[in-house]
Amino acid sequence: MYKKNNLCKKVLPIFLIITMLFCLTGCGDKSLKTKSGEKLKITKSETSQIEYEDFNNGYLKMQIPKGWKVDIPNKVTFSGYTFKMYNPNDKNYMLEFSLGLSGFLKTEAARKKYASLYPYAIYGQLAAIEPQTTEQFYKVWNTNAKVANKQINQEFFVYLDNFEMIENLGKTNLGGDVIRGKFTNDKGETMQGLFTTSIFDSGSYYMYGLDLAPLNTYHNIIMYAPDVEFNNWQSIFDHSLSTIEFTEDFMKGFNKEQSSQVATVQANAKIYDEISNMIMDSWNKRNSSYDIISQKQSDATLGYERVYDTETGDVYKAYNGFTDEYSGSRYQSITDDMYTTTISGYIEK
């Protein structure tokens, strides 16, 4: 009898644990159906299923979304190390990074003068950065990307057609601004992203009454996705950025190539973790008005309405008419401030 009771004491807790685990994994909302009894299903969003894998080419280490690629241009120096991380099935999802870029003059007058003196020199071909702001740097990005692509004989640097700043989100700890911007791709589709750079003035060198000393830019970072989807992808890009680490072999080459380089360009994991934290913090404090307007327009065009799970807080895109047909109370229409929330999935018939 004692053994039997003792066995029951052991079995009962195990049974309770199994029951609890079953409910946690399988006892979801069974009332997700229409008033007519038609069952509805939830499909998880792509970003909610992202897994990461390690990338390491001997110089650069980072975590990237599983199945994505990292490309390095044909000609690259240590001080100007550049790469882009992207979805090979759709390059509208991309993070592009350049450790350092150089050769930009401070005024258009100086650039024109330099071009007249030295027609084939790079300083005269690159667009001047006037004024020296992050916004202006990206406004003239296309001109400089075309020159750079020609120099390396490869269409590597992306083009930001019709670039426009949506909002300045503040400065990074390296002095550059983080700006939220939009542009159009080669198909005329609107892309949205975050852009930052640190512009460094090396000094002055006057000739013909013009300052011909060049500017350098460091930690040039572009991350973008289709306009109405960027809100879902920003944290994915930010995670990869935070894991950037340059190897010991890279640092040896970098220090040998740029022994007198300014401190702001020192490449280490701590810097990129700090930059990513700053970008994420700035992003979370952004003005929500653009999100609300653009997301509402997108939903109206694509036939969605947004609801949230009152038990978990997850936000879903549901088919248009869902709230009229839904028989339960767990899923409710979102408020305007929730348009900034990442989508967890889709509710479909």
Side-chain angles (χ1 to χ4, degrees), residues 133-140 163-165 177 179 197:
T133 64
T134 301
E135 179 184 5
Q136 184 62 24
F137 177 71
Y138 285 106
K139 277 188 173 181
V140 298
F163 179 83
E164 178 184 342
M165 183 175 74
D177 291 329
I179 61 176
T197 186

Side-chain angles (χ1 to χ4, degrees), residues 39-51:
K39 291 184 179 179
L40 304 174
K41 62 180 180 180
I42 291 180
T43 303
K44 289 184 177 181
S45 65
E46 185 177 357
T47 51
S48 67
Q49 302 179 73
I50 287 290
E51 295 179 2

Side-chain angles (χ1 to χ4, degrees), residues 186-283:
D186 56 359
K187 296 180 180 178
E189 300 165 329
T190 302
M191 302 288 114
Q192 184 191 160
L194 293 180
F195 309 79
T196 187
T197 186
S198 297
I199 301 173
F200 181 75
D201 188 342
S202 59
S204 299
Y205 180 74
Y206 282 91
M207 288 180 63
Y208 308 100
L210 297 167
D211 187 354
L212 299 182
L215 298 166
N216 299 318
T217 67
Y218 301 115
H219 307 295
N220 308 281
I221 300 167
I222 298 171
M223 54 178 77
Y224 67 87
D227 186 33
V228 295
E229 295 184 42
F230 184 72
N231 183 42
N232 291 342
W233 286 94
Q234 191 278 327
S235 62
I236 307 297
F237 294 129
D238 201 67
H239 173 82
S240 292
L241 175 64
S242 71
T243 64
I244 290 175
E245 182 180 354
F246 290 98
T247 66
E248 184 177 344
D249 286 342
F250 177 91
M251 291 308 300
K252 287 179 181 177
F254 177 86
N255 292 329
K256 184 177 181 180
E257 185 177 286
Q258 293 288 342
S259 58
S260 61
Q261 187 67 285
V262 293
T264 54
V265 77
Q266 292 303 308
N268 59 67
K270 183 180 178 182
I271 284 180
Y272 302 109
D273 188 39
E274 290 176 353
I275 291 176
S276 72
N277 287 338
M278 174 62 192
I279 290 176
M280 180 61 83
D281 184 59
S282 298
W283 176 249

Side-chain angles (χ1 to χ4, degrees), residues 143-159:
T143 297
N144 298 328
K146 289 174 183 176
V147 173
N149 286 338
K150 185 177 180 180
Q151 288 285 318
I152 63 175
N153 195 30
Q154 181 185 5
E155 288 295 305
F156 185 87
F157 289 95
V158 299
Y159 295 116

